[in-house]
Amino acid sequence: MSPDDPFDDAATARAVISENGTLTGWNSGAQRLLGWAPDEVVGRPAVRLLATADTSVAPAGPRWDGTLTLRHRDGHSLPVWLLAHRLAEDGDRPARWLVVTPVADDGADADDPPDVAGLMQAPCAVAVYDGRLRLRRMNGAMAEVLGLPPERLRGLTLSEIGGRPQSEELERRLREVLTTGLPQDVQTSMRAGPGKEPTAWLARMAPLTDGEGRVHGVCLAAHDITENNRARERLQLVNEASVRIGTTLDVTRTAQELADVCVPALADLVSVDLLDAADQTGEPPPRPTAPVSLRRVAHRSVSPGTPEAAAQPGEVQSYPAASPQADSLMQGRTVIASAGSGSLQRWLAWDPVRHSRAQEFGVHTTMSVPIRARGTTLGVAVLTRYRRQDPFTPDDVLLAEEVTARAAVCIDNARRYSRERDTALALQRSLLPRNLPRTAAVVAASRYLPAARSSVGGDWFDVIPLSGLRVAMVVGDVIGEGIQASATMGRLRTAVRTLADIDLSPDELLTHLDDLVIRLSEEAGDQGSPGEVGATCLYAVYDPVSRRCTIARAGHAPPVVLPPDGPPHRVPVPAGPPLGVGGLPFECTEVELREGSVLAFYTDGLIEARGGDADAGLRVLCEALEAPADSLEESCDRILHALLPPGGTADDVALLLARAQGLAPSRVATWDIPADPALVGPVRKQVVDQLREWRLTEASFTAELVVSELVTNAIRYGTPPIRLRLIHDSATLICEVSDTSHTAPHLRRAKTWDEGGRGLLLVAQLTQRWGSRHTTEGKTIWAELGLVEA
C-alpha cells in the first residue's frame, strides 16, 4: 500500500502536508478522527487544525512523533499522538510529510493471532500483524529498534510505521505471506530510527495459523545482520587483494595495486613508502632507526590528483622518530593516530606542511601499517581518513594488516627476484605447520626438507584434529616448483583444513579438492601463465574409538603401516587420479589399526631420492621404519639418513609418522534412545550415573543439560534409531547423538516463534565446541566439554 494513496482506509488517520505547511491529502480515517471533510481542509494551512495558538511545532529530521492538541470540527480539543515521516522527492512529486495515527475501529480489540504470547519472549525483534496487516503486538526488542512507543503503534501498517520505500516492500511481502501461507526471508537496509546509522536487516516472515491451518496473521522477526555484511565485505576485500595485488614483478606497480585496493574501501588516502635501498635488488636495513629515509612509491586518493599528499612518487623524505612512519617501523606494529586522542596533532607538529594539509582537508585519523614480508621490513603503508568520519576499528586494523601482508610478499618477491629460491623457501616454511597438534588419537612426528639442487617445490603435510577424538592426516605434493608451487600448496592446505572441518569423508574431500585445482588451473591460464596446476594428495581419518582408519588418495603414493608385531607393508589403497584431472572418482579403503601401529606418509621425493627407483626406495623405507627406535623423532631421522643422499635431493621431501593410539572401551558409553520424549529423563539419569562412575561429577550439570537438548532435538526432528555416545578423554568429555536423518542442524535456525527451537544456542554456550557430521547412516551431532583434571 502506498503511504499516501489510497486514503479510504478508515483504520488509520492519514494526512499529507507539503513542505510549506499546506495540507495536500486527507483520508477517511482523518475525517473520522477530527470530523473535517477533505474539501474543508485540503489546500489550507495545517496549523489551523491545532487547538492552541502555538505554531512553533515543526518536525525536524526524517521522522517526528509526539502528542498535539488538535481541533475537532465540533469545536472540542482532542489530544492526538502523531507519527510524521518526511517523504523524499519522487519524480514529479515534491518532498512532503506523511502524518499518521491509528484510529480505533470495530476490529481494534480483536483477539491476537495464535501463539503471540510465546513470540513476545523471543530475544530478537518481533512484531505480529493481524489479518489486515495491522500491528497487533511487538516485543521490547522491536520497540527498541523502532524507537517508538509500542502502545501508540498498535493498528498501524508496516509502511505507516516505517514511512520508507523499504517499508512498502516489506509490507508487500507480508501480504504475500498472508495470502499464500508460505514464509519468506527478505534482506533490506534502513535506519531503525532517527540519528541511527543504516543497518542491514534480515526480515523473516511467517504465517500465524490456527489449529485448522487457517492464516490469521503474520509474524515478522528482524535480525541485525550488519556485522555479517561487514565481515562479507572484508572477506571480499581480502579476496580482491589476493587477485589484484602482485600481478607483476614490478615494485612500483605492486605498491600502486595495494593503494588502489584500499581506496575507498578502507581509507580516503593511501600512501606507500619503501625504505630507500641503494638499488631495487638491495636488502633494506634489518632494523630501521630514526631518522628513516623513505621513498614515496605510490599513492591513491578519493580526490582526483591526490591534492592531500605531502610527497610525490619518487621523492625521498627523511622521517624523524616523532613521525608515524618511523614510529610504526621501529616498533614493528600498526599505529593509529586520531584527532580525538590528540596523538595526531603531536605527530603532525614536526611537519608544518603536513599539518596544514591535514587542517585543510579535515584529516582526523591515520593508520601506519609496516610492510613486512618474511621477517624483513620493506616500508610502510599509511591509510588516512578525512571524508569518512568514522575512525579505524580493530577490524579495520586486521584487514589492513592482512591486505598489506599480501602486498608485502609481492613487493618482496619483486625486490629479490634474483633470490627466488630463498623467497620461496621462506614462504614454504611459513605455510607448513610449525608444531603438530597433540591428540588422543595419534602421536606424530614430521620432517620437511627443501630441494637442494633446484627451486623449492610444493610438498606439504598436516595433522588435523576432528570431532569425536578422531584425527585427519594429509600429505600432498604440488606439481612444479618455485613461488607458484608454494603458493598453490598453501591454498590447497587451507582448503583441506576447511573441508576437514566440515567432516567430509576422504573420497568426498578429494573430490572437492580436485574441483579446486581445476579452478586454479583455469585462473592461471586466464592470467597468461601455462595454466598447468596439478597435485597429488593422500588423506586419512583415524578413529581411536573404533581403531579404524579410512584412507583415500589422489595419485599419491600409498602409506606404509608398521604393526606392533609384524613387518611393515604398504596399505592397499586404490590409486585415484591426480588432482586436476577431473571427472574420475576416488575410493576409500578402511583398515583396522592395532594400538601402537605406525603409519608412514611421504612424498615421492623421499623414495625416489636415490636414482629414481621408487620400489628400491620403498624397501629402504620399510627397513628403516622397522628398525628399533626410542621415539618417532628418531625414526624420522633414521629414515631420512637411510634414503637421502649426502648432498641433498633434487626434489622436496615431506615425511609424516603417526603412531595410533586406542581409547579404552571403559571410556566410551553408548545408549540406544527410544524415540519417546518421556524417556529423556531416564537417559539423563543414566548419563549422570556414568559420569559418577568416571568421577566427573563436576561436569554432570552441564553434561546433563547438553545431553537433554541433543537427545530431545534428535527425538523431535531426527529419524530413529537414535544413539547417544559419551567419550571420556583426559581433558575432554564428548557427547554425540546420532540418528538416520540427513538434515543438518543450524544454530538459531528454528522458527522464531517456536519456544523449543533454541536448544542449540544453549549447547553452543555451555560447550567448548559443537557441530555435526554426516555419516553413511545419517548424521551425528556432537559437543565437547572441557574438563579440569584434579
Side-chain angles (χ1 to χ4, degrees), residues 304-322:
T306 319
E308 321 93 310
Q312 297 303 315
E315 183 178 348
V316 177
Q317 291 190 340
S318 180
Y319 294 83

Side-chain angles (χ1 to χ4, degrees), residues 381-396:
V382 179
L383 292 80
T384 304
R385 286 183 177 177
Y386 61 88
R387 184 174 297 180
R388 291 178 56 171
Q389 296 304 310
D390 54 313
F392 290 111
T393 66
D395 287 337
D396 293 331

Side-chain angles (χ1 to χ4, degrees), residues 185 197 295 305 376 432 491 552 721 766 777 784:
D185 289 351
E197 293 295 325
R295 180 185 299 273
T376 300
L432 289 173
R491 298 176 75 172
L766 292 176
E777 297 81 14
E784 293 184 3

